[in-house]
Amino acid sequence: MTESAGDAVHASPRGSDGLVLVVDDDPAIAELVAMNLRFSSFEVIVANDARSGLAAIERHRPDLVLLDVMMPRVDGYELCRQLRASPLTAALPIIMMTARDLSADRIQGLTAGADDYITKPFDLTELIARVRSTLRRNREMRDVSPLTGLPGNTRILEAIADRIATRRDHGWEYAVCYVDLDNFKTVNDVYGFYRGDQMLTAAAAALHTSTIGVAGPPPFLGHIGGDDFLVVCTPDQITPITDRAITLFDQASRVLYDPEDLARGYFEVLDRQGRLRRHGLLTLSIGVALSTQRRFTDHREVVAAASEMKSVAKRTVGSMVAVDRRKDPEPGRGPEARRIEGT
């Protein structure tokens, strides 16, 4: 389906690979590009100048813009700069199209903020490939934690779903470890958010080092958000990953405390009534769900089980790993908790 910029508000239907806005003052080229995008499973909107292009972006919220450089009144470079200057469109993927193949022109387009640059006459197969590549990179970047650089929730759920599928199809067992920092809010309250971010970065580094250093197939590590992380690994990798992560985080976090807090082993914080309260230093509580014990059919079931075990781990002071030992269909042993002391 190809739409003009003045059509009704558009939402990409199920099965579409994305909504692309083509901005080109040559109607023949714009329609040729739109037709090929449509044949490649994209939804398309066409605008013939910068003004209608801006209106289409505001109205339809496309996933990507194919932008011609040479247009009357406002050219593609200026429109690209305007889009990058607005918070609402600063991250919108833009591919510039032009008949000018000079290096200076490409540099000007990239400097204006374009993600990619393709010259006319272009190979339509290459154009479609560039559109797909740019969209893929943009989606991956959106699903990465800006603080830790780790994959976010979408890729976390994909990783779990993939393990569920391989368990079903090939019998490969897996484990999901839900990691939480104990007393993290206290760090933000006492030291401020910058020190809190340093603690999160230290936890991410400890988990990353632990996962890349373990024997066997590569585990998956993601950042759910805040002070929550998730590791997908094999059952044999649980102990070496969690043991090392706890040790490394304990070592790295020591340099981030004020000396007096580290020396006494706890924070002293005034509550709302003005009373002095003690809060422990940061430790890791880790809840583990196992495919060897339960046959999960949905990623939500796995996350719920691991989250429940994380709550079990948090009942004890200090770093703790709580592994779900319940069996399906009859309940087996109760949750098993394994305490690990910090150094």
Side-chain angles (χ1 to χ4, degrees):
M1 176 179 172
T2 303
E3 298 185 7
S4 67
D7 291 327
V9 173
H10 184 280
S12 296
R14 187 181 302 274
S16 168
D17 286 348
L19 176 61
V20 178
L21 169 64
V22 180
V23 185
D24 196 313
D25 65 332
D26 187 326
I29 293 179
E31 287 303 325
L32 177 63
V33 171
M35 180 182 66
N36 280 270
L37 286 166
R38 178 166 51 86
F39 287 156
S40 299
S41 300
F42 291 97
E43 293 297 303
V44 184
I45 300 169
V46 173
N48 297 124
D49 56 32
R51 181 177 179 181
S52 60
L54 284 172
I57 291 170
E58 182 176 354
R59 185 173 179 81
H60 299 276
R61 301 298 182 198
D63 299 301
L64 180 142
V65 176
L66 278 170
L67 178 58
D68 184 36
V69 169
M70 304 304 294
M71 294 189 296
R73 293 181 292 278
V74 178
D75 64 19
Y77 298 132
E78 177 58 28
L79 178 55
C80 187
R81 282 190 286 267
Q82 291 181 22
L83 293 174
R84 289 292 177 251
S86 170
L88 294 178
T89 55
L92 179 63
I94 299 172
I95 298 177
M96 303 199 78
M97 306 179 294
T98 182
R100 302 170 66 175
D101 193 23
L102 297 177
S103 176
D105 297 314
R106 291 195 296 272
I107 292 172
Q108 185 175 357
L110 296 172
T111 302
D115 295 276
D116 201 355
Y117 192 103
I118 188 167
T119 56
K120 302 175 183 178
F122 40 72
D123 181 281
L124 288 167
T125 303
E126 179 186 357
L127 177 64
I128 300 300
R130 287 177 180 265
V131 168
R132 292 193 188 280
S133 177
T134 302
L135 281 171
R136 183 181 65 251
R137 289 197 307 269
N138 183 263
R139 286 163 181 162
E140 289 175 351
M141 288 300 295
R142 286 204 308 265
D143 195 40
V144 170
S145 165
L147 177 64
T148 63
L150 295 175
N153 290 334
T154 300
R155 291 168 66 187
I156 288 172
L157 297 180
E158 288 175 352
I160 297 174
D162 180 64
R163 298 308 196 284
I164 292 173
T166 54
R167 170 66 185 82
R168 181 189 64 240
D169 298 339
H170 305 287
W172 299 344
E173 304 290 0
Y174 62 89
V176 172
C177 308
Y178 198 132
V179 184
D180 177 77
L181 273 67
D182 305 312
N183 304 310
F184 177 70
K185 182 179 182 300
T186 304
V187 169
N188 278 340
D189 291 342
V190 174
Y191 296 149
F193 72 89
Y194 179 72
R195 193 90 62 93
D197 285 351
Q198 289 181 303
M199 289 289 188
L200 290 176
T201 302
L207 288 163
H208 180 258
T209 300
S210 303
T211 53
I212 64 173
V214 71
F220 173 89
L221 170 62
H223 187 180
I224 298 171
D227 59 332
D228 293 332
F229 300 85
L230 191 137
V231 177
V232 183
C233 59
T234 67
D236 291 342
Q237 292 173 330
I238 297 170
T239 298
I241 289 175
T242 57
D243 282 1
R244 192 176 187 201
I246 288 169
T247 299
L248 291 175
F249 176 69
D250 185 69
Q251 293 170 351
S253 62
R254 285 176 175 270
V255 301
L256 298 176
Y257 298 113
D258 286 353
E260 58 270 23
D261 294 328
L262 181 61
R264 64 174 171 246
Y266 57 85
F267 299 104
E268 290 186 334
V269 183
L270 290 175
D271 64 16
R272 293 182 179 180
Q273 287 72 42
R275 293 171 297 191
L276 201 61
R277 299 287 188 181
R278 292 183 179 182
H279 297 268
L281 302 181
L282 267 65
T283 51
L284 299 183
S285 288
I286 305 174
V288 181
L290 285 169
S291 69
T292 55
Q293 303 299 109
R294 304 169 67 179
R295 293 296 179 261
F296 300 105
T297 59
D298 185 88
H299 58 74
R300 290 167 292 191
E301 298 174 0
V302 188
V303 173
S307 180
E308 182 183 0
M309 298 313 301
K310 179 196 69 173
S311 298
V312 172
K314 291 180 79 69
R315 295 172 189 168
T316 303
V317 176
S319 291
M320 176 77 68
V321 180
V323 182
D324 191 358
R325 298 297 184 185
R326 293 168 296 181
K327 293 181 179 292
D328 290 335
E330 297 84 18
R333 290 188 298 165
E336 174 187 288
R338 176 168 56 88
R339 179 168 183 166
I340 302 177
E341 301 290 350
T343 56

